[in-house]
Short mmCIF file of all heavy atoms in Angstrom, two decimals:
data_model
loop_
_atom_site.label_atom_id
_atom_site.label_comp_id
_atom_site.label_asym_id
_atom_site.label_seq_id
_atom_site.Cartn_x
_atom_site.Cartn_y
_atom_site.Cartn_z
N PHE E 884 -169.07 -171.22 -73.40
CA PHE E 884 -169.87 -170.73 -72.26
C PHE E 884 -171.03 -169.91 -72.58
O PHE E 884 -171.12 -169.39 -73.81
CB PHE E 884 -168.83 -169.90 -71.41
CG PHE E 884 -167.53 -170.56 -71.29
CD1 PHE E 884 -166.40 -169.95 -71.79
CD2 PHE E 884 -167.47 -171.65 -70.50
CE1 PHE E 884 -165.21 -170.58 -71.62
CE2 PHE E 884 -166.10 -172.22 -70.38
CZ PHE E 884 -164.99 -171.68 -70.93
N ASN E 885 -172.04 -169.79 -71.77
CA ASN E 885 -173.30 -169.31 -71.91
C ASN E 885 -173.09 -167.64 -71.62
O ASN E 885 -173.72 -167.26 -70.64
CB ASN E 885 -174.35 -169.88 -71.09
CG ASN E 885 -175.74 -169.17 -70.98
OD1 ASN E 885 -175.89 -168.20 -71.91
ND2 ASN E 885 -176.56 -169.60 -70.40
N ALA E 886 -172.61 -167.06 -72.66
CA ALA E 886 -172.39 -165.57 -72.59
C ALA E 886 -171.87 -165.05 -73.89
O ALA E 886 -171.08 -165.84 -74.50
CB ALA E 886 -171.50 -165.16 -71.41
N GLY E 887 -172.35 -163.99 -74.33
CA GLY E 887 -171.89 -163.49 -75.73
C GLY E 887 -172.02 -164.64 -76.98
O GLY E 887 -173.04 -165.31 -76.83
N HIS E 888 -170.96 -164.92 -77.50
CA HIS E 888 -171.05 -166.01 -78.59
C HIS E 888 -171.32 -167.32 -77.83
O HIS E 888 -170.41 -167.66 -76.99
CB HIS E 888 -169.64 -165.95 -79.29
CG HIS E 888 -169.52 -167.17 -80.28
ND1 HIS E 888 -170.42 -167.29 -81.31
CD2 HIS E 888 -168.54 -167.88 -80.54
CE1 HIS E 888 -170.18 -168.15 -81.93
NE2 HIS E 888 -169.05 -168.69 -81.64
N GLY E 889 -172.36 -167.99 -78.09
CA GLY E 889 -172.59 -169.23 -77.44
C GLY E 889 -173.71 -169.06 -76.27
O GLY E 889 -173.93 -169.90 -75.46
N ALA E 890 -174.30 -167.89 -76.33
CA ALA E 890 -175.34 -167.66 -75.17
C ALA E 890 -176.50 -168.53 -75.38
O ALA E 890 -176.95 -168.94 -76.52
CB ALA E 890 -175.63 -166.20 -75.22
N ALA E 891 -177.28 -168.62 -74.30
CA ALA E 891 -178.57 -169.37 -74.32
C ALA E 891 -179.60 -168.74 -75.08
O ALA E 891 -179.48 -167.45 -75.40
CB ALA E 891 -179.03 -169.54 -72.82
N LEU E 892 -180.59 -169.43 -75.65
CA LEU E 892 -181.70 -168.87 -76.36
C LEU E 892 -182.97 -168.95 -75.49
O LEU E 892 -183.23 -169.84 -74.76
CB LEU E 892 -182.02 -169.88 -77.58
CG LEU E 892 -180.91 -169.76 -78.57
CD1 LEU E 892 -180.96 -170.96 -79.48
CD2 LEU E 892 -181.15 -168.46 -79.52
N ASN E 893 -183.79 -167.89 -75.48
CA ASN E 893 -184.98 -167.83 -74.75
C ASN E 893 -186.11 -168.59 -75.53
O ASN E 893 -185.84 -169.19 -76.49
CB ASN E 893 -185.47 -166.41 -74.53
CG ASN E 893 -185.90 -165.60 -75.70
OD1 ASN E 893 -186.19 -166.17 -76.76
ND2 ASN E 893 -185.98 -164.21 -75.56
N THR E 894 -187.38 -168.57 -74.97
CA THR E 894 -188.32 -169.45 -75.51
C THR E 894 -188.71 -169.12 -76.95
O THR E 894 -189.19 -169.95 -77.72
CB THR E 894 -189.54 -169.50 -74.55
OG1 THR E 894 -190.43 -170.39 -74.94
CG2 THR E 894 -190.32 -168.07 -74.51
N ASP E 895 -188.50 -167.78 -77.24
CA ASP E 895 -188.70 -167.36 -78.68
C ASP E 895 -187.59 -167.78 -79.63
O ASP E 895 -187.60 -167.38 -80.79
CB ASP E 895 -188.99 -165.87 -78.81
CG ASP E 895 -190.31 -165.51 -78.03
OD1 ASP E 895 -191.15 -166.40 -77.79
OD2 ASP E 895 -190.49 -164.30 -77.76
N GLY E 896 -186.52 -168.30 -79.17
CA GLY E 896 -185.28 -168.66 -79.94
C GLY E 896 -184.46 -167.55 -80.11
O GLY E 896 -183.76 -167.42 -81.21
N GLU E 897 -184.51 -166.45 -79.22
CA GLU E 897 -183.72 -165.34 -79.24
C GLU E 897 -182.80 -165.33 -78.03
O GLU E 897 -182.95 -165.85 -77.04
CB GLU E 897 -184.59 -164.06 -79.43
CG GLU E 897 -185.42 -164.13 -80.79
CD GLU E 897 -186.39 -163.09 -80.90
OE1 GLU E 897 -186.75 -162.33 -79.96
OE2 GLU E 897 -186.97 -162.86 -82.04
N HIS E 898 -181.76 -164.35 -78.30
CA HIS E 898 -180.77 -164.03 -77.21
C HIS E 898 -181.14 -162.76 -76.52
O HIS E 898 -181.36 -161.73 -77.19
CB HIS E 898 -179.39 -163.97 -77.87
CG HIS E 898 -178.90 -165.28 -78.52
ND1 HIS E 898 -178.50 -166.36 -77.93
CD2 HIS E 898 -178.92 -165.52 -79.86
CE1 HIS E 898 -178.13 -167.26 -78.91
NE2 HIS E 898 -178.43 -166.76 -80.08
N GLU E 899 -181.20 -162.79 -75.25
CA GLU E 899 -181.24 -161.65 -74.52
C GLU E 899 -180.31 -161.66 -73.43
O GLU E 899 -180.40 -162.52 -72.48
CB GLU E 899 -182.67 -161.37 -73.82
CG GLU E 899 -183.91 -161.30 -74.95
CD GLU E 899 -185.12 -161.17 -74.42
OE1 GLU E 899 -185.58 -161.70 -73.46
OE2 GLU E 899 -185.96 -160.17 -74.95
N LEU E 900 -179.39 -160.68 -73.39
CA LEU E 900 -178.10 -160.92 -72.75
C LEU E 900 -177.98 -159.90 -71.51
O LEU E 900 -178.44 -158.76 -71.62
CB LEU E 900 -176.86 -160.69 -73.60
CG LEU E 900 -176.80 -161.41 -74.93
CD1 LEU E 900 -175.62 -160.99 -75.69
CD2 LEU E 900 -176.87 -162.88 -74.78
N ASP E 901 -177.49 -160.42 -70.39
CA ASP E 901 -177.32 -159.73 -69.18
C ASP E 901 -175.85 -159.55 -68.75
O ASP E 901 -175.10 -160.58 -68.92
CB ASP E 901 -178.17 -160.29 -67.97
CG ASP E 901 -179.60 -160.34 -68.22
OD1 ASP E 901 -180.19 -159.70 -69.02
OD2 ASP E 901 -180.16 -161.29 -67.54
N ALA E 902 -175.40 -158.39 -68.30
CA ALA E 902 -174.03 -158.46 -67.72
C ALA E 902 -174.00 -157.31 -66.60
O ALA E 902 -174.70 -156.23 -66.75
CB ALA E 902 -173.05 -158.13 -68.88
N SER E 903 -172.94 -157.34 -65.80
CA SER E 903 -172.78 -156.24 -64.93
C SER E 903 -171.31 -156.25 -64.45
O SER E 903 -170.59 -157.20 -64.51
CB SER E 903 -173.66 -156.40 -63.59
OG SER E 903 -173.34 -157.58 -62.88
#
Side-chain angles (χ1 to χ4, degrees):
F884 314 112
N885 173 7
H888 178 54
L892 290 156
N893 71 13
T894 191
D895 294 341
E897 292 176 350
H898 301 280
E899 293 185 317
L900 311 177
D901 298 339
S903 66

